[in-house]
Amino acid sequence: MSRKRTWPSTEEEMDSKIREGGGTESQNGSTTSFNSSTSQVTIEPLPSLRHAAPFSTDPMALAERDSCHYGRIPRAAALAGTAGRKVRVYSDGIYDMFHQGHARQLQQAKTVFPNVYLIVGVCSDQLTHSRKGRTVMTEDERYEAVRHCRYVDEVVRDAPWEYDEEFLEKHKIDFLAHDDIPYTTEDCEDTYAMIKAKDMFVATQRTEGVSTSDIVARIVRDYDIYVRRNLARGYSAKELNVSFLNEKKFRLQNKMDELKDKGKKVMTNIGEKRVDILTKWEEKSRELIDAFLLLFGPDGRLSNIWESSKGRLMQALSQPPSPRGSPPPSENGDHSPLYRSSVSPPPAKARRREPDWESHADASGSECSGDATTPATRQLTDLTDDGSDSDDDYQDSSPYL
């Protein structure tokens, strides 16, 4: 899918385009055309902006290579732009965690000559791990990162660590672009010595303070921060190779940071709205004081309720009066009629029972003759006739029986 960007130009730009003949070709290969009737400039995008760079084994790269009549271009002709074809420049590297330092290096290789076809070689995982160490990204990820860079025209997978004539002729390489720091190996002190001897080496500048090693050093230095970051984003402790205790510690630290952030936001909001808060608080405090006095003041509702119910409460809580005592007896020993009517009379006294032997004597007397009595009978009669009151005349005057 193609993209076109158009914009109106100023009068100075229109005049300059007319003087130049209505069209130019930019340094990076894009075509700029001018249309005087519409007063607009139309820029056709680069092929690298329309699609990713092809691999060296793709048909597009093979067709470009076959169309090139290879013969190494002298440096002077390449600089003057009189080579008659695109200058094929090769640059290689690991390109792990592709960053702006890599992009700037490729930009320098792309613009080292006026008309450059840039070929970039990326080393495989096996070769990189054996020569330089473990990478963060896999070889496929590094291939894709490089081929989506706008300056790259072709990508060579599984690039060699050292070069020979066969490799240079296979890819029809005119120049090799790299920084001029010597790269030593077991066999030689400088990998690019042969390239430099043939005057095919083009030096590029490194970006200070930016490298894959620096990025890895930052991650290692702030290891706890990045682990907590990924735990908060849903990664498991197993995926991060974190122990159970460290996971709990990191999650607790995340919670504490969240509370701190919330506290800062609250304090910020309070600082912005402190005047409104103080005004509202003063109004509310006055309302609270008025309500308190209405309830608990001297003339408040609770005071009136207490005064009205105080007498009833005291009457309900006081003890009942003690019962009245018995009146003294009258002169003849009797109680007053009022008291006598209020006190129930004592129960009737049972009659004294005659002894069994007396009834037995009466029965035997009927059998004996006349008025004859036994001595025992006479003694009993004397006891009963001694002048005391009989049982019929006896009356107990005690008020307690």
Side-chain angles (χ1 to χ4, degrees), residues 275-291:
V275 177
D276 295 337
I277 291 175
L278 291 176
T279 304
K280 292 180 180 179
W281 173 253
E282 185 178 359
E283 295 176 357
K284 291 293 182 182
S285 62
R286 291 176 180 175
E287 294 178 1
L288 291 174
I289 292 172
D290 294 341

mmCIF file of all heavy atoms in Angstrom, residues 275-291:
data_model
loop_
_atom_site.group_PDB
_atom_site.id
_atom_site.type_symbol
_atom_site.label_atom_id
_atom_site.label_comp_id
_atom_site.label_asym_id
_atom_site.label_seq_id
_atom_site.Cartn_x
_atom_site.Cartn_y
_atom_site.Cartn_z
ATOM 1 N N VAL A 275 -8.899 26.141 50.742
ATOM 2 C CA VAL A 275 -9.747 27.284 51.082
ATOM 3 C C VAL A 275 -11.211 26.861 51.124
ATOM 4 O O VAL A 275 -11.951 27.198 52.056
ATOM 5 C CB VAL A 275 -9.526 28.414 50.059
ATOM 6 C CG1 VAL A 275 -10.455 29.587 50.370
ATOM 7 C CG2 VAL A 275 -8.068 28.869 50.070
ATOM 8 N N ASP A 276 -11.636 26.099 50.143
ATOM 9 C CA ASP A 276 -13.028 25.637 50.124
ATOM 10 C C ASP A 276 -13.307 24.714 51.299
ATOM 11 O O ASP A 276 -14.392 24.778 51.909
ATOM 12 C CB ASP A 276 -13.310 24.911 48.808
ATOM 13 C CG ASP A 276 -13.206 25.845 47.608
ATOM 14 O OD1 ASP A 276 -13.352 27.071 47.816
ATOM 15 O OD2 ASP A 276 -12.986 25.338 46.495
ATOM 16 N N ILE A 277 -12.343 23.876 51.633
ATOM 17 C CA ILE A 277 -12.542 22.948 52.744
ATOM 18 C C ILE A 277 -12.684 23.708 54.060
ATOM 19 O O ILE A 277 -13.543 23.400 54.900
ATOM 20 C CB ILE A 277 -11.378 21.942 52.804
ATOM 21 C CG1 ILE A 277 -11.444 20.998 51.592
ATOM 22 C CG2 ILE A 277 -11.412 21.142 54.097
ATOM 23 C CD1 ILE A 277 -10.281 20.059 51.493
ATOM 24 N N LEU A 278 -11.836 24.724 54.277
ATOM 25 C CA LEU A 278 -11.921 25.498 55.518
ATOM 26 C C LEU A 278 -13.250 26.241 55.612
ATOM 27 O O LEU A 278 -13.856 26.319 56.687
ATOM 28 C CB LEU A 278 -10.747 26.476 55.592
ATOM 29 C CG LEU A 278 -9.354 25.841 55.783
ATOM 30 C CD1 LEU A 278 -8.277 26.914 55.737
ATOM 31 C CD2 LEU A 278 -9.288 25.092 57.107
ATOM 32 N N THR A 279 -13.694 26.798 54.496
ATOM 33 C CA THR A 279 -14.978 27.512 54.508
ATOM 34 C C THR A 279 -16.135 26.567 54.827
ATOM 35 O O THR A 279 -16.998 26.877 55.660
ATOM 36 C CB THR A 279 -15.200 28.188 53.152
ATOM 37 O OG1 THR A 279 -14.094 29.046 52.856
ATOM 38 C CG2 THR A 279 -16.487 28.993 53.163
ATOM 39 N N LYS A 280 -16.141 25.414 54.183
ATOM 40 C CA LYS A 280 -17.206 24.445 54.450
ATOM 41 C C LYS A 280 -17.139 23.929 55.876
ATOM 42 O O LYS A 280 -18.165 23.704 56.522
ATOM 43 C CB LYS A 280 -17.103 23.290 53.457
ATOM 44 C CG LYS A 280 -17.425 23.687 52.019
ATOM 45 C CD LYS A 280 -17.306 22.499 51.082
ATOM 46 C CE LYS A 280 -17.635 22.901 49.652
ATOM 47 N NZ LYS A 280 -17.509 21.751 48.713
ATOM 48 N N TRP A 281 -15.937 23.748 56.393
ATOM 49 C CA TRP A 281 -15.805 23.259 57.760
ATOM 50 C C TRP A 281 -16.324 24.285 58.762
ATOM 51 O O TRP A 281 -16.950 23.933 59.768
ATOM 52 C CB TRP A 281 -14.339 22.930 58.039
ATOM 53 C CG TRP A 281 -14.076 22.586 59.474
ATOM 54 C CD1 TRP A 281 -13.452 23.329 60.413
ATOM 55 C CD2 TRP A 281 -14.495 21.386 60.144
ATOM 56 N NE1 TRP A 281 -13.427 22.690 61.610
ATOM 57 C CE2 TRP A 281 -14.068 21.482 61.484
ATOM 58 C CE3 TRP A 281 -15.181 20.254 59.732
ATOM 59 C CZ2 TRP A 281 -14.298 20.480 62.400
ATOM 60 C CZ3 TRP A 281 -15.418 19.248 60.660
ATOM 61 C CH2 TRP A 281 -14.978 19.365 61.962
ATOM 62 N N GLU A 282 -16.070 25.575 58.507
ATOM 63 C CA GLU A 282 -16.572 26.601 59.398
ATOM 64 C C GLU A 282 -18.101 26.608 59.407
ATOM 65 O O GLU A 282 -18.729 26.722 60.475
ATOM 66 C CB GLU A 282 -16.033 27.958 58.960
ATOM 67 C CG GLU A 282 -16.406 29.094 59.889
ATOM 68 C CD GLU A 282 -15.799 30.406 59.443
ATOM 69 O OE1 GLU A 282 -15.083 30.407 58.417
ATOM 70 O OE2 GLU A 282 -16.042 31.428 60.116
ATOM 71 N N GLU A 283 -18.714 26.479 58.252
ATOM 72 C CA GLU A 283 -20.171 26.441 58.188
ATOM 73 C C GLU A 283 -20.720 25.220 58.908
ATOM 74 O O GLU A 283 -21.687 25.309 59.671
ATOM 75 C CB GLU A 283 -20.615 26.449 56.722
ATOM 76 C CG GLU A 283 -20.257 27.736 55.982
ATOM 77 C CD GLU A 283 -20.614 27.668 54.509
ATOM 78 O OE1 GLU A 283 -21.082 26.582 54.081
ATOM 79 O OE2 GLU A 283 -20.438 28.672 53.794
ATOM 80 N N LYS A 284 -20.111 24.074 58.691
ATOM 81 C CA LYS A 284 -20.577 22.858 59.348
ATOM 82 C C LYS A 284 -20.397 22.946 60.858
ATOM 83 O O LYS A 284 -21.236 22.441 61.621
ATOM 84 C CB LYS A 284 -19.830 21.654 58.786
ATOM 85 C CG LYS A 284 -20.177 21.316 57.347
ATOM 86 C CD LYS A 284 -21.606 20.824 57.237
ATOM 87 C CE LYS A 284 -21.941 20.430 55.806
ATOM 88 N NZ LYS A 284 -23.348 19.988 55.667
ATOM 89 N N SER A 285 -19.298 23.549 61.315
ATOM 90 C CA SER A 285 -19.061 23.649 62.756
ATOM 91 C C SER A 285 -20.126 24.515 63.418
ATOM 92 O O SER A 285 -20.588 24.218 64.526
ATOM 93 C CB SER A 285 -17.667 24.220 63.017
ATOM 94 O OG SER A 285 -17.550 25.539 62.495
ATOM 95 N N ARG A 286 -20.530 25.582 62.751
ATOM 96 C CA ARG A 286 -21.595 26.409 63.317
ATOM 97 C C ARG A 286 -22.901 25.637 63.412
ATOM 98 O O ARG A 286 -23.631 25.746 64.417
ATOM 99 C CB ARG A 286 -21.789 27.658 62.450
ATOM 100 C CG ARG A 286 -20.616 28.638 62.524
ATOM 101 C CD ARG A 286 -20.815 29.795 61.571
ATOM 102 N NE ARG A 286 -19.695 30.736 61.628
ATOM 103 C CZ ARG A 286 -19.560 31.777 60.829
ATOM 104 N NH1 ARG A 286 -20.508 32.029 59.908
ATOM 105 N NH2 ARG A 286 -18.518 32.573 60.936
ATOM 106 N N GLU A 287 -23.223 24.887 62.411
ATOM 107 C CA GLU A 287 -24.440 24.077 62.459
ATOM 108 C C GLU A 287 -24.377 23.051 63.586
ATOM 109 O O GLU A 287 -25.366 22.825 64.290
ATOM 110 C CB GLU A 287 -24.640 23.377 61.115
ATOM 111 C CG GLU A 287 -24.928 24.341 59.964
ATOM 112 C CD GLU A 287 -25.080 23.614 58.643
ATOM 113 O OE1 GLU A 287 -24.983 22.368 58.660
ATOM 114 O OE2 GLU A 287 -25.277 24.276 57.610
ATOM 115 N N LEU A 288 -23.223 22.435 63.773
ATOM 116 C CA LEU A 288 -23.084 21.454 64.849
ATOM 117 C C LEU A 288 -23.230 22.095 66.225
ATOM 118 O O LEU A 288 -23.855 21.536 67.132
ATOM 119 C CB LEU A 288 -21.728 20.753 64.729
ATOM 120 C CG LEU A 288 -21.555 19.817 63.524
ATOM 121 C CD1 LEU A 288 -20.118 19.321 63.449
ATOM 122 C CD2 LEU A 288 -22.498 18.624 63.621
ATOM 123 N N ILE A 289 -22.664 23.298 66.403
ATOM 124 C CA ILE A 289 -22.777 23.977 67.702
ATOM 125 C C ILE A 289 -24.231 24.344 67.996
ATOM 126 O O ILE A 289 -24.731 24.158 69.118
ATOM 127 C CB ILE A 289 -21.870 25.225 67.708
ATOM 128 C CG1 ILE A 289 -20.397 24.791 67.681
ATOM 129 C CG2 ILE A 289 -22.153 26.081 68.942
ATOM 130 C CD1 ILE A 289 -19.428 25.945 67.489
ATOM 131 N N ASP A 290 -24.935 24.861 66.992
ATOM 132 C CA ASP A 290 -26.348 25.205 67.196
ATOM 133 C C ASP A 290 -27.177 23.977 67.535
ATOM 134 O O ASP A 290 -28.051 24.026 68.425
ATOM 135 C CB ASP A 290 -26.896 25.877 65.936
ATOM 136 C CG ASP A 290 -26.239 27.218 65.675
ATOM 137 O OD1 ASP A 290 -25.660 27.785 66.625
ATOM 138 O OD2 ASP A 290 -26.280 27.679 64.505
ATOM 139 N N ALA A 291 -26.933 22.878 66.877
ATOM 140 C CA ALA A 291 -27.677 21.654 67.170
ATOM 141 C C ALA A 291 -27.359 21.136 68.565
ATOM 142 O O ALA A 291 -28.248 20.653 69.275
ATOM 143 C CB ALA A 291 -27.336 20.584 66.121
#
